[in-house]
Protein backbone atom coordinates (compact mmCIF):
# COMPACT_ATOMS: atom_id res chain seq x y z
CA UNK A 1 0.00 0.00 0.00
CA UNK A 2 1.33 3.45 -0.92
CA UNK A 3 1.49 5.68 2.15
CA UNK A 4 4.06 8.36 1.38
CA UNK A 5 1.45 11.12 1.77
CA UNK A 6 0.41 9.79 5.18
CA UNK A 7 4.06 9.32 6.12
CA UNK A 8 4.92 12.86 5.08
CA UNK A 9 2.03 14.30 7.09
CA UNK A 10 3.11 12.32 10.14
CA UNK A 11 6.85 12.86 9.82
CA UNK A 12 6.70 16.59 9.13
CA UNK A 13 4.67 17.40 12.26
CA UNK A 14 6.18 19.73 14.81
CA UNK A 15 6.30 17.96 18.18
CA UNK A 16 7.34 19.57 21.43
CA UNK A 17 9.79 16.78 22.25
CA UNK A 18 11.63 16.92 18.95
CA UNK A 19 11.65 20.55 17.81
CA UNK A 20 15.35 21.02 17.14
CA UNK A 21 15.63 24.82 17.23
CA UNK A 22 18.59 24.52 14.85
CA UNK A 23 20.65 27.62 14.17
CA UNK A 24 20.51 29.27 10.78
CA UNK A 25 23.54 29.17 8.51
CA UNK A 26 23.46 32.80 7.39
CA UNK A 27 26.61 32.43 5.29
CA UNK A 28 24.81 29.92 3.09
CA UNK A 29 21.35 31.46 2.90
CA UNK A 30 20.01 30.77 -0.62
CA UNK A 31 19.30 33.88 -2.71
CA UNK A 32 15.70 35.18 -2.56
CA UNK A 33 15.45 35.76 -6.28
CA UNK A 34 16.02 33.73 -9.41
CA UNK A 35 17.75 36.07 -11.81
CA UNK A 36 18.27 35.10 -15.46
CA UNK A 37 21.41 36.07 -17.42
CA UNK A 38 21.45 39.71 -18.61
CA UNK A 39 21.67 38.69 -22.28
CA UNK A 40 18.05 37.44 -22.22
CA UNK A 41 15.52 40.01 -23.42
CA UNK A 42 13.70 41.98 -20.71
CA UNK A 43 10.22 43.45 -21.08
CA UNK A 44 9.13 46.35 -18.95
CA UNK A 45 5.67 46.22 -17.42
CA UNK A 46 3.53 49.33 -16.85
CA UNK A 47 3.69 50.64 -13.30
CA UNK A 48 0.91 48.89 -11.35
CA UNK A 49 -1.74 50.68 -9.30
CA UNK A 50 -1.34 50.11 -5.59
CA UNK A 51 -4.72 51.43 -4.49
CA UNK A 52 -8.35 51.65 -5.58
CA UNK A 53 -10.33 49.15 -7.58
CA UNK A 54 -13.45 47.22 -6.60
CA UNK A 55 -14.20 46.62 -2.92
CA UNK A 56 -12.63 43.39 -1.64
CA UNK A 57 -15.87 41.70 -0.61
CA UNK A 58 -17.39 42.21 -4.07
CA UNK A 59 -14.27 40.68 -5.59
CA UNK A 60 -14.42 37.67 -3.27
CA UNK A 61 -18.11 37.23 -4.12
CA UNK A 62 -17.32 37.48 -7.84
CA UNK A 63 -14.59 34.83 -7.92
CA UNK A 64 -15.49 31.52 -9.56
CA UNK A 65 -13.30 29.01 -11.33
CA UNK A 66 -13.80 29.95 -14.98
CA UNK A 67 -12.85 27.47 -17.69
CA UNK A 68 -14.23 28.99 -20.90
CA UNK A 69 -12.14 31.80 -22.31
CA UNK A 70 -12.69 33.96 -25.40
CA UNK A 71 -9.82 34.90 -27.71
CA UNK A 72 -9.71 38.52 -26.49
CA UNK A 73 -6.22 39.80 -25.76
CA UNK A 74 -5.48 41.08 -22.27
CA UNK A 75 -3.95 44.56 -22.05
CA UNK A 76 -0.42 45.13 -20.78
CA UNK A 77 -1.85 47.19 -17.94
CA UNK A 78 -4.01 44.35 -16.68
CA UNK A 79 -1.19 41.82 -17.15
CA UNK A 80 1.13 43.99 -15.07
CA UNK A 81 -1.51 44.56 -12.42
CA UNK A 82 -2.10 40.82 -11.96
CA UNK A 83 1.63 40.04 -11.75
CA UNK A 84 2.03 42.73 -9.12
CA UNK A 85 -0.87 41.29 -7.11
CA UNK A 86 0.72 37.84 -7.38
CA UNK A 87 4.31 38.56 -6.30
CA UNK A 88 4.97 42.29 -6.55
CA UNK A 89 6.96 44.06 -3.85
CA UNK A 90 4.59 45.99 -1.60
CA UNK A 91 6.98 47.17 1.10
CA UNK A 92 10.74 47.52 1.11
CA UNK A 93 13.43 48.81 3.42
CA UNK A 94 17.16 48.27 3.79
CA UNK A 95 16.71 44.68 5.06
CA UNK A 96 13.45 43.31 3.69
CA UNK A 97 11.46 43.30 0.52
CA UNK A 98 7.97 42.11 1.30
CA UNK A 99 5.54 40.96 -1.34
CA UNK A 100 1.82 40.98 -2.10
CA UNK A 101 1.38 37.45 -0.70
CA UNK A 102 2.71 36.20 2.64
CA UNK A 103 5.51 33.63 2.80
CA UNK A 104 6.70 31.35 5.62
CA UNK A 105 9.79 32.93 7.18
CA UNK A 106 9.83 35.62 4.48
CA UNK A 107 11.81 33.20 2.31
CA UNK A 108 9.62 33.50 -0.81
CA UNK A 109 10.43 30.12 -2.39
CA UNK A 110 7.91 30.45 -5.23
CA UNK A 111 8.91 31.57 -8.74
CA UNK A 112 6.37 32.77 -11.32
CA UNK A 113 6.44 31.82 -15.01
CA UNK A 114 3.99 33.34 -17.51
CA UNK A 115 2.94 31.37 -20.56
CA UNK A 116 1.76 34.22 -22.78
CA UNK A 117 -0.80 33.46 -25.45
CA UNK A 118 -2.80 36.67 -25.95
CA UNK A 119 -1.34 39.69 -24.18
CA UNK A 120 -1.11 43.00 -26.07
CA UNK A 121 2.51 44.02 -26.62
CA UNK A 122 3.96 40.60 -25.69
CA UNK A 123 4.91 37.95 -28.21
CA UNK A 124 3.78 34.44 -27.25
CA UNK A 125 6.34 32.68 -25.12
CA UNK A 126 7.40 31.58 -21.69
CA UNK A 127 8.48 34.47 -19.51
CA UNK A 128 9.83 34.59 -15.98
CA UNK A 129 8.64 37.32 -13.62
CA UNK A 130 11.63 39.18 -12.18
CA UNK A 131 10.31 40.29 -8.82
CA UNK A 132 12.84 43.00 -7.89
CA UNK A 133 12.41 44.85 -11.19
CA UNK A 134 8.72 44.06 -11.86
CA UNK A 135 9.63 43.04 -15.38
CA UNK A 136 9.63 39.87 -17.47
CA UNK A 137 12.44 37.99 -19.07
CA UNK A 138 11.64 35.96 -22.14
CA UNK A 139 13.10 32.51 -21.55
CA UNK A 140 11.49 30.65 -24.49
CA UNK A 141 9.79 32.43 -27.39
CA UNK A 142 6.94 30.59 -29.15
CA UNK A 143 3.40 29.34 -28.59
CA UNK A 144 3.41 26.79 -25.79
CA UNK A 145 -0.32 26.88 -24.95
CA UNK A 146 -1.08 23.53 -26.56
CA UNK A 147 1.94 21.83 -24.99
CA UNK A 148 1.12 23.24 -21.57
CA UNK A 149 -2.52 22.13 -21.96
CA UNK A 150 -1.30 18.63 -22.83
CA UNK A 151 0.90 18.64 -19.72
CA UNK A 152 -2.12 19.76 -17.69
CA UNK A 153 -4.01 16.55 -18.44
CA UNK A 154 -5.36 18.08 -21.69
CA UNK A 155 -7.42 20.73 -19.95
CA UNK A 156 -8.67 22.90 -22.81
CA UNK A 157 -8.83 26.10 -20.75
CA UNK A 158 -5.02 26.12 -20.60
CA UNK A 159 -4.77 26.30 -24.38
CA UNK A 160 -7.48 29.01 -24.60
CA UNK A 161 -6.34 31.23 -21.72
CA UNK A 162 -4.84 34.64 -22.54
CA UNK A 163 -2.02 33.58 -20.27
CA UNK A 164 -1.21 30.89 -17.74
CA UNK A 165 0.84 31.37 -14.63
CA UNK A 166 2.98 28.44 -13.53
CA UNK A 167 4.49 28.49 -10.08
CA UNK A 168 7.57 26.54 -9.12
CA UNK A 169 9.11 26.07 -5.69
CA UNK A 170 12.82 26.64 -5.08
CA UNK A 171 12.92 24.07 -2.31
CA UNK A 172 16.30 24.96 -0.80
CA UNK A 173 15.18 28.52 -0.12
CA UNK A 174 12.67 27.20 2.41
CA UNK A 175 14.60 24.10 3.56
CA UNK A 176 17.42 26.39 4.69
CA UNK A 177 15.21 27.21 7.67
CA UNK A 178 12.52 24.55 7.81
CA UNK A 179 14.17 21.32 6.62
CA UNK A 180 11.56 18.75 5.60
CA UNK A 181 8.69 20.89 6.92
CA UNK A 182 9.52 23.25 4.06
CA UNK A 183 7.47 20.98 1.79
CA UNK A 184 4.34 21.99 3.70
CA UNK A 185 5.14 25.66 3.49
CA UNK A 186 5.91 25.90 -0.22
CA UNK A 187 2.42 24.62 -1.01
CA UNK A 188 0.84 27.03 1.45
CA UNK A 189 2.81 29.89 -0.10
CA UNK A 190 1.66 28.83 -3.56
CA UNK A 191 -1.95 28.75 -2.36
CA UNK A 192 -1.76 32.33 -1.17
CA UNK A 193 -0.25 33.39 -4.47
CA UNK A 194 -2.92 31.53 -6.45
CA UNK A 195 -5.67 33.23 -4.51
CA UNK A 196 -4.12 36.64 -5.12
CA UNK A 197 -4.08 35.82 -8.83
CA UNK A 198 -7.73 34.73 -8.76
CA UNK A 199 -8.89 37.84 -6.92
CA UNK A 200 -6.78 40.17 -9.05
CA UNK A 201 -8.24 38.58 -12.19
CA UNK A 202 -11.77 39.37 -10.97
CA UNK A 203 -10.71 42.91 -10.06
CA UNK A 204 -9.46 43.33 -13.64
CA UNK A 205 -12.66 41.98 -15.24
CA UNK A 206 -11.13 38.59 -16.09
CA UNK A 207 -11.68 35.02 -14.95
CA UNK A 208 -9.27 32.34 -13.79
CA UNK A 209 -9.07 28.72 -12.81
CA UNK A 210 -6.52 27.27 -10.41
CA UNK A 211 -4.89 24.08 -11.64
CA UNK A 212 -3.27 21.34 -9.62
CA UNK A 213 -3.72 18.55 -12.16
CA UNK A 214 -0.64 18.36 -14.36
CA UNK A 215 2.15 15.98 -15.24
CA UNK A 216 4.86 17.48 -13.08
CA UNK A 217 7.85 16.50 -15.18
CA UNK A 218 6.25 17.75 -18.39
CA UNK A 219 5.63 21.18 -16.86
CA UNK A 220 9.14 21.15 -15.37
CA UNK A 221 10.58 20.44 -18.81
CA UNK A 222 8.67 23.39 -20.31
CA UNK A 223 10.06 25.82 -17.73
CA UNK A 224 13.45 24.11 -17.92
CA UNK A 225 13.82 23.18 -14.24
CA UNK A 226 15.11 19.94 -12.75
CA UNK A 227 12.05 18.92 -10.69
CA UNK A 228 14.09 18.56 -7.49
CA UNK A 229 15.85 21.80 -6.54
CA UNK A 230 13.10 23.63 -8.39
CA UNK A 231 9.79 22.03 -9.21
CA UNK A 232 6.39 23.13 -10.55
CA UNK A 233 3.71 23.15 -7.85
CA UNK A 234 0.66 25.05 -9.11
CA UNK A 235 -0.85 26.80 -12.12
CA UNK A 236 -3.59 29.29 -13.00
CA UNK A 237 -5.23 29.92 -16.36
CA UNK A 238 -6.43 33.52 -16.85
CA UNK A 239 -8.47 35.15 -19.60
CA UNK A 240 -11.64 36.91 -20.65
CA UNK A 241 -14.64 34.79 -19.74
CA UNK A 242 -16.71 33.69 -22.72
C1 LIG B 1 -5.44 23.24 -5.38
C2 LIG B 1 -6.49 23.33 -6.45
C3 LIG B 1 -6.33 22.61 -7.61
C4 LIG B 1 -7.29 22.70 -8.61
N1 LIG B 1 -7.09 22.05 -9.80
C5 LIG B 1 -8.00 22.17 -10.78
C6 LIG B 1 -7.76 21.56 -12.04
O1 LIG B 1 -6.72 20.97 -12.29
N2 LIG B 1 -8.72 21.69 -12.99
C7 LIG B 1 -9.88 22.38 -12.77
O2 LIG B 1 -10.70 22.45 -13.68
N3 LIG B 1 -10.12 22.98 -11.59
C8 LIG B 1 -9.22 22.90 -10.59
N4 LIG B 1 -9.42 23.56 -9.40
C9 LIG B 1 -10.63 24.37 -9.22
C10 LIG B 1 -11.67 23.67 -8.33
O3 LIG B 1 -12.29 22.63 -9.06
C11 LIG B 1 -12.70 24.73 -7.88
O4 LIG B 1 -12.02 25.69 -7.08
C12 LIG B 1 -13.84 24.12 -7.08
O5 LIG B 1 -14.64 23.29 -7.89
C13 LIG B 1 -14.71 25.16 -6.41
O6 LIG B 1 -15.28 26.04 -7.38
P1 LIG B 1 -14.97 27.63 -7.38
O7 LIG B 1 -13.50 27.81 -7.51
O8 LIG B 1 -15.74 28.18 -8.56
O9 LIG B 1 -15.46 28.18 -6.09
C14 LIG B 1 -8.47 23.50 -8.41
C15 LIG B 1 -8.59 24.23 -7.23
C16 LIG B 1 -7.61 24.18 -6.26
C17 LIG B 1 -7.76 25.02 -5.03
Amino acid sequence: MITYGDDFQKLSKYRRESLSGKGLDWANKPPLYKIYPPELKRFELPKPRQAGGLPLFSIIKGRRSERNFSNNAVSETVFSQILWAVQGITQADEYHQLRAAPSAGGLFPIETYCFVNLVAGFEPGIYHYQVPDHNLVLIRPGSFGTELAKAALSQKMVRDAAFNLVWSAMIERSKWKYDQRAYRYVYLDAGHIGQNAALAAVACGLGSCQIGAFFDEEVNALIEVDGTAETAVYMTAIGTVR
Side-chain angles (χ1 to χ4, degrees), residues 63-65 67 155 157 209-213 234:
R63 187 208 61 80
R64 271 290 64 80
S65 290
R67 299 177 180 86
Q155 299 188 69
M157 63 177 153
C209 186
Q210 278 51 63
I211 298 172
Y234 203 20

Side-chain angles (χ1 to χ4, degrees), residues 75-91:
S75 73
E76 267 183 281
T77 312
V78 159
F79 187 45
S80 170
Q81 197 64 42
I82 292 173
L83 286 167
W84 172 79
V86 159
Q87 277 292 266
I89 292 173
T90 50
Q91 194 185 325

Side-chain angles (χ1 to χ4, degrees), residues 109-140:
I110 305 297
E111 295 291 330
T112 303
Y113 297 85
C114 310
F115 283 63
V116 168
N117 179 24
L118 285 164
V119 178
F122 283 83
E123 62 176 295
I126 306 174
Y127 297 76
H128 176 263
Y129 179 58
Q130 305 269 288
V131 172
D133 305 314
H134 185 64
N135 69 17
L136 290 167
V137 54
L138 178 58
I139 56 174
R140 294 182 75 185

